[in-house]
Amino acid sequence: MVDFSQLVDELSERSRIAERQAVTEEATKTSVILPLLQAWGFDIFNPSEVIPEFIADVGTKKGEKVDFAVKIDGKIAMLVEAKPITSKLGEAQFSQLFRYFSVTEARLAILTNGREAWFFSDTDAPNKMDKKPFFKFDFQAYDSDQIEELSRFRKQKFAIEQIIEAASTLKYTRAASNYLKSQLEDPDDEFIRLIGRQIYDGSITKNVAEQLKPAIQSALDELIRDRIQDRLSITFNSKAANAPAEEEPQFDSVEDDDGIVTTEEEKEAHRIVRAIGARVVNVQRIAMRDAKSYCAILMDDNNRRPICRLYFNAAKSKSIVIFDSDKNETKHKIETIEDLYQHASAIEAVIRSYGE
C-alpha cells in the first residue's frame, strides 16, 4: 500500500505541472483536486461519496453550485470550492462556500486553487463558517507535521470532533504565532513594557521603553538562534549516537565524484543561514547546493531563488555574496563563520521575499 506521504509528494508534482500548464478552474480540479480526494480514500467516481456541482438552494439564491460535496456514511462531511491555479486565494471570492456551509450538515469547507488548500470550520460560531482558515496547506512547500495534519481528512480515519478540536487548537496557535512573529520583527510598546517589568526596577516610562527595546530585540534574536542551534545539536548528536560502531570516522570535508568538496565550515554556514531564516520560513526550505567554486544556499533548492553564495575555498580569505529580491549581488568579506550573523537582516530580507 502506498504511504500517504508518497501520495502527497505525487500531488506536489501534479501541482507544479498544473502551475505551468493548467489555466482554468476545470484543469485545476482534474489535475490536483480530484487526486487529493482520491488520496484521502474517497471514490471520486461514486456520486454517493463525491458529488460534483453540488446544488443547494440558499434563501432567494437558487441553483448555485459548490464544486464538490464529499459524503461519509451518507452525510455531507465537507464542501470543496475550486479556483484556477492562477488565482490567489487571499483575493478569491468564496461567498457560495460560506452560504452553503450554513444550510448543509458539513462542518468542513475547503477552498483550493491547486497550489494551496485553505481549510475552514465553525470554531467561532456553530454552523457558521469561520472567516479565516484554521489550516493552510501548500502543495509545493510542506513538512512532515503538515502532512500529518492533512492526513486527518482521510476517509478511513475521519473523526469530525477530533478535527474540530484540532482546528480550534491550530487557530489559536496560528494567532499566537503571528503575534509573536510581529513582536520579534518590531515589538510594540505594550510588549516592551510586559518584558520590561520583569527586568527593570522602576517605572517603564517612554524613554526607558526606548532604551529597553534594542536589548529586548537582541535577546529575542539570541533566543531564536540558541533554540535552533540546540535543535540542530540534538539532531546531529542523535544521528551520531545511532551510527553503527564500525562506521568510518568522519572527516572535516566530503568529496563527491565530481571533485566537489563540502566542508564543515560550509555546513555550519548553512545551519546559521537556517537559524537566521527560522523566523520567516520552515528551515527545511533552506537548502544547500555545493559547486566547485562556491557553495550556494537556495530557497526550495531552486537555483532561481538564491539566498547567498559562500566563497570559502580560498586559503586566506572568506566571503559571502548575498542576493536581494531582484537578484542583485552584494559581496562581503568575513573573518569567521559567526560573522554571518552580522548580515542577518539582508539574509532574512531575501528569504522573506521568497517565503511569502
Side-chain angles (χ1 to χ4, degrees):
M1 183 176 178
V2 179
D3 184 75
F4 183 69
S5 61
Q6 291 179 262
L7 295 175
V8 175
D9 289 341
E10 292 172 8
L11 285 169
S12 178
E13 182 59 27
R14 285 178 174 271
S15 176
R16 294 176 193 279
I17 294 172
E19 195 165 39
R20 295 194 298 267
Q21 300 179 0
V23 293
T24 65
E25 183 179 306
E26 289 302 317
T28 302
K29 292 179 190 177
T30 304
S31 58
V32 182
I33 299 173
L34 286 174
L36 171 62
L37 297 176
Q38 208 166 30
W40 277 334
F42 294 100
D43 185 351
I44 60 174
F45 303 106
N46 183 351
S48 66
E49 283 195 12
V50 178
I51 308 172
E53 300 295 309
F54 178 68
I55 299 175
D57 292 339
V58 183
T60 58
K61 297 282 186 179
K62 305 294 182 181
E64 284 194 318
K65 300 175 183 178
V66 166
D67 293 298
F68 299 101
V70 180
K71 284 187 172 184
I72 296 178
D73 297 329
K75 298 180 179 179
I76 296 176
M78 65 179 87
L79 303 172
V80 183
E81 183 166 343
K83 298 295 179 184
I85 202 164
T86 52
S87 68
K88 293 183 179 181
L89 293 189
E91 300 172 356
Q93 296 295 319
F94 47 100
S95 53
Q96 291 147 288
L97 194 61
F98 189 87
R99 288 195 293 269
Y100 275 38
F101 194 92
S102 62
V103 297
T104 67
E105 54 200 339
R107 296 194 66 190
L108 288 172
I110 303 169
L111 176 69
T112 179
N113 60 2
R115 167 64 196 257
E116 291 182 280
W118 289 10
F119 294 76
F120 300 83
S121 188
D122 57 353
T123 59
D124 292 332
N127 204 37
K128 184 178 179 181
M129 193 178 92
D130 299 336
K131 293 182 179 179
K132 294 182 178 180
F134 66 85
F135 175 50
K136 295 181 180 181
F137 187 83
D138 188 327
F139 289 100
Q140 297 180 27
Y142 51 83
D143 57 30
S144 58
D145 290 338
Q146 291 168 324
I147 292 177
E148 183 63 29
E149 288 298 330
L150 193 68
S151 73
R152 289 180 182 273
F153 307 97
R154 298 170 71 181
K155 179 184 175 183
Q156 66 188 52
K157 58 186 297 187
F158 194 92
I160 188 61
E161 293 303 327
Q162 292 179 14
I163 290 174
I164 300 302
E165 182 180 350
S168 181
T169 301
L170 280 171
K171 181 180 72 172
Y172 292 120
T173 299
R174 185 183 69 247
S177 175
N178 289 338
Y179 170 74
L180 291 174
K181 187 180 293 184
S182 69
Q183 297 308 314
L184 284 168
E185 294 173 355
D186 184 21
D188 58 32
D189 292 343
E190 185 178 349
F191 187 81
I192 294 296
R193 285 184 167 83
L194 173 67
I195 304 298
R197 284 193 289 268
Q198 310 302 316
I199 62 176
Y200 181 82
D201 294 329
S203 300
I204 310 296
T205 64
K206 184 177 181 180
N207 287 337
V208 170
E210 289 176 354
Q211 292 175 3
L212 291 176
K213 185 173 181 177
I216 291 174
Q217 282 183 294
S218 296
L220 291 172
D221 288 340
E222 184 177 344
L223 181 63
I224 294 294
R225 287 197 298 267
D226 289 347
R227 191 71 179 269
I228 294 295
Q229 290 297 333
D230 287 345
R231 290 192 176 186
L232 289 171
S233 296
I234 290 171
T235 300
F236 296 139
N237 290 338
S238 174
K239 289 181 178 179
N242 294 329
E246 65 273 17
E247 187 176 3
E248 290 294 324
Q250 297 296 309
F251 297 101
D252 286 343
S253 62
V254 177
E255 184 170 348
D256 64 19
D257 293 338
D258 296 324
I260 297 173
V261 177
T262 302
T263 66
E264 282 301 320
E265 285 187 331
E266 289 169 334
K267 293 178 184 178
E268 177 63 20
H270 178 221
R271 291 193 285 268
I272 289 174
V273 173
R274 279 187 161 193
I276 291 169
R279 296 196 308 175
V280 182
V281 298
N282 186 310
V283 295
Q284 298 300 323
R285 295 182 63 188
I286 301 175
M288 178 173 68
R289 192 186 299 180
D290 207 355
K292 286 187 178 182
S293 57
Y294 61 84
C295 180
I297 297 181
L298 311 168
M299 178 69 82
D300 302 323
D301 200 18
N302 186 337
N303 58 19
R304 290 178 294 179
R305 291 184 159 197
I307 298 170
C308 60
R309 288 178 180 173
L310 311 173
Y311 292 88
F312 289 179
N313 295 336
K316 295 184 179 181
S317 65
K318 296 181 178 67
S319 61
I320 178 174
V321 166
I322 301 175
F323 293 83
D324 64 18
S325 58
D326 296 321
K327 309 295 188 302
N328 297 316
E329 304 178 15
T330 304
K331 192 171 185 177
H332 307 274
K333 287 187 177 181
I334 60 173
E335 298 296 329
T336 67
I337 306 302
E338 288 73 20
D339 288 347
L340 290 173
Y341 285 118
Q342 297 177 10
H343 306 288
S345 297
I347 292 171
E348 183 178 315
V350 66
I351 291 173
R352 188 184 301 280
S353 72
Y354 296 141
E356 292 179 344

